Amino acid sequence: MTTTLITGANKGLGYETARRLVEHGHTVIVGARDPERGAAAAAALGARFVRIDVTDDASVAAAAIDIAEHEGVVDVLVNNAGVHGPHGDPADLTGADALGVFDVNVLGVVRTTTAFLPLLRRSPDPVIINVSSGMGSLAITHDPSRTESSVIAPLYTASKAALTMLTTQYAKGLKDIRVNAADPGYTATDLNGHSGPQSVTEGTDAIVRLATEGPGAGTGRFIDRAGTIDWS
């Protein structure tokens, strides 16, 4: 039985990923900040809820202790929790804005990954999936045929570019763990006011693929639902 922890799993992409992986037979742990929403989501999915705020070291550590006591292992860690932050005129950005976005989208991944490495290393085939975005790709955001090229979201795009690079560095440094990044694509979620043309099921295709691959599938990759994508 594969034990999978998904952060930010009470709604949107995280919830749909949890639903699909439960269908695949995974033991899914729904991670969320809000106890009521998290517990309700887990109950609806047939999963277990664990409170985790990826911006809080103590919360992340407590979640790791909880899972160590109950499941004893994490086979798949999906770092899904994320925020969009301000969009539009970069002239209005503040340092506090930047700290808020990077604290969730990048530092949150670092906190969670570090805390759960001991549990991942108890797995015979440990996997980390970082939910990044094509919005952090230089190639995609400079391609006028792509919707991403017309969006101005300085902190979100910068944080996702950082997350993809972080993924490749983890893949090089954590040789005993497969570490990959997934781009959901422009998906209808709360993050974009449900303006995306893709359904949440389509948006989770790449995440589910990475979570259900067999050993030896590869590490340090960045994929979307169509396959490997360029981000440089």
Side-chain angles (χ1 to χ4, degrees):
M1 185 72 73
T2 300
T3 299
T4 299
L5 167 64
I6 306 168
T7 64
N10 62 291
K11 64 179 182 177
L13 292 168
Y15 183 92
E16 179 65 5
T17 299
R19 184 192 69 79
R20 294 181 67 182
L21 292 179
V22 167
E23 288 187 348
H24 275 277
H26 287 214
T27 296
V28 173
I29 303 163
V30 169
R33 286 186 306 172
D34 187 298
E36 287 189 13
R37 293 178 181 177
L45 291 164
R48 191 171 82 83
F49 166 66
V50 170
R51 184 180 182 278
I52 182 169
D53 179 349
V54 301
T55 68
D56 184 326
D57 288 328
S59 174
V60 175
I65 291 170
D66 182 295
I67 294 170
E69 292 175 347
H70 287 83
E71 287 78 20
V73 65
V74 171
D75 299 291
V76 179
L77 169 62
V78 182
N79 286 310
N80 168 73
V83 295
H84 191 279
H87 57 84
D89 190 354
D92 296 328
L93 295 177
T94 67
D97 292 332
L99 286 171
V101 173
F102 275 76
D103 198 20
V104 178
N105 294 359
V106 183
L107 304 185
V109 172
V110 172
R111 289 187 188 95
T112 306
T113 300
T114 299
F116 282 92
L117 279 176
L119 291 178
L120 284 160
R121 285 181 164 139
R122 294 181 185 178
S123 169
D125 183 34
V127 174
I128 297 172
I129 302 162
N130 294 329
V131 181
S132 190
S133 173
M135 290 289 292
S137 161
L138 296 178
I140 291 174
T141 56
H142 284 79
D143 181 349
S145 70
R146 297 289 298 253
T147 302
E148 292 91 341
S149 69
S150 64
V151 178
I152 301 175
L155 300 178
Y156 181 77
T157 54
S159 69
K160 291 301 185 179
L163 179 56
T164 306
M165 177 58 81
L166 184 66
T167 301
T168 67
Q169 291 296 298
Y170 274 144
K172 290 180 180 180
L174 302 175
K175 298 186 184 301
D176 54 338
I177 301 174
R178 280 187 285 129
V179 188
N180 292 295
D183 170 24
Y186 192 11
T187 303
T189 66
D190 287 353
L191 206 66
N192 55 42
H194 294 270
S195 61
Q198 287 188 162
S199 68
V200 286
T201 300
E202 291 171 321
T204 56
D205 281 348
I207 306 169
V208 171
R209 173 186 160 188
L210 290 171
T212 55
E213 291 177 322
T219 190
R221 293 170 293 152
F222 186 28
I223 73 164
D224 64 10
R225 63 193 303 260
T228 301
I229 60 176
D230 292 328
W231 65 282
S232 61

